[in-house]
Amino acid sequence: MNLTRLCKFSTRSCLLSTRYLSTSSEYKVKGTAEFFDKQKVLGRPMSPHLTIYKPQLTSMLSISHRASGVGWGVLIYGGTLLTLMPGGFSHYVQLAEQFAPGMGIMVALKATLLLPLTYHTLNGFRHLAWDIGKGFKIAEVYKSGWSTVAVSVLVSLLIAIAL
C-alpha cells in the first residue's frame, strides 16, 4: 500500500505529505549539484577527510581521551557486575590470583588496566587548563600532549607495582 492511499484512509491529517517527497536528486542550496558534478569530473572523493590527512598528535590524543573514557566506564561497570555475581568481587580476584602467570606479567596487566584511568584523568587536567585559556600555542599543545602520555604510562606503572 503506498503512502497516498494510507493518507486517504487516515482519520487524521497525514503527517507525511506526499508533495514534499521527491524522487529526483534535488538540493536545497543552489549550485550544490554543479559542485558535486565538478568534483566527480575531477575524480575527487565526496568526503576525503580520513584519506588525505595524516594523523596528528592532537587528533590522536582527542580520540584516545574519548576511547579511554569509554574503556574506563566499561571496566567500572564490569567490576560492578562482578560484585553482583556469586562470591562477590573478592572471589574473582582470588580466582585470578590462582592463575596468575608471574609478577612481571601481572604488573603489565595491571598497568594496562590502569592506563585508561591515568591517561583520562591527566588529560582531563589538561582540558581544564584549556578551559581557563592556558596552553593554546601549538608548541604548548604538543609539549603538554607528550607530557600527558609519558606521565600516564609512568603513573600507571608505579600504581601497578604498588598494588
Side-chain angles (χ1 to χ4, degrees):
M1 190 175 264
N2 67 21
L3 187 62
T4 309
R5 291 181 77 191
L6 283 174
C7 289
K8 287 180 184 176
F9 293 129
S10 175
T11 56
R12 292 188 218 156
S13 65
C14 188
L15 295 175
L16 191 61
S17 176
T18 56
R19 70 178 163 182
Y20 294 113
L21 296 177
S22 175
T23 56
S24 66
S25 58
E26 297 174 2
Y27 296 102
K28 290 185 179 183
V29 178
K30 292 186 185 224
T32 304
E34 292 81 15
F35 171 78
F36 284 125
D37 290 340
K38 180 181 176 186
Q39 299 307 312
K40 188 181 261 186
V41 168
L42 293 173
R44 295 179 180 161
M46 289 286 280
S47 182
H49 65 284
L50 293 178
T51 58
I52 66 169
Y53 295 116
K54 70 176 188 170
Q56 298 175 341
L57 177 69
T58 52
S59 61
M60 293 296 107
L61 291 180
S62 176
I63 292 167
S64 299
H65 184 73
R66 294 169 189 186
S68 66
V70 170
W72 191 244
V74 168
L75 286 174
I76 288 175
Y77 285 118
T80 304
L81 289 175
L82 282 179
T83 63
L84 301 175
M85 301 289 276
F89 186 76
S90 61
H91 169 72
Y92 293 99
V93 170
Q94 289 173 354
L95 188 65
E97 287 174 348
Q98 288 176 358
F99 297 107
M103 183 65 173
I105 293 176
M106 285 306 291
V107 168
L109 289 173
K110 289 177 188 178
T112 302
L113 288 175
L114 286 168
L115 187 60
L117 170 70
T118 57
Y119 173 75
H120 193 76
T121 302
L122 293 173
N123 202 39
F125 286 123
R126 185 172 168 241
H127 279 269
L128 287 174
W130 288 347
D131 288 343
I132 61 172
K134 304 287 182 188
F136 279 119
K137 293 180 182 162
I138 196 69
E140 294 171 344
V141 170
Y142 275 82
K143 184 178 177 183
S144 66
W146 283 117
S147 300
T148 300
V149 171
V151 173
S152 298
V153 170
L154 182 66
V155 168
S156 63
L157 280 173
L158 290 174
I159 294 173
I161 292 169
L163 292 178

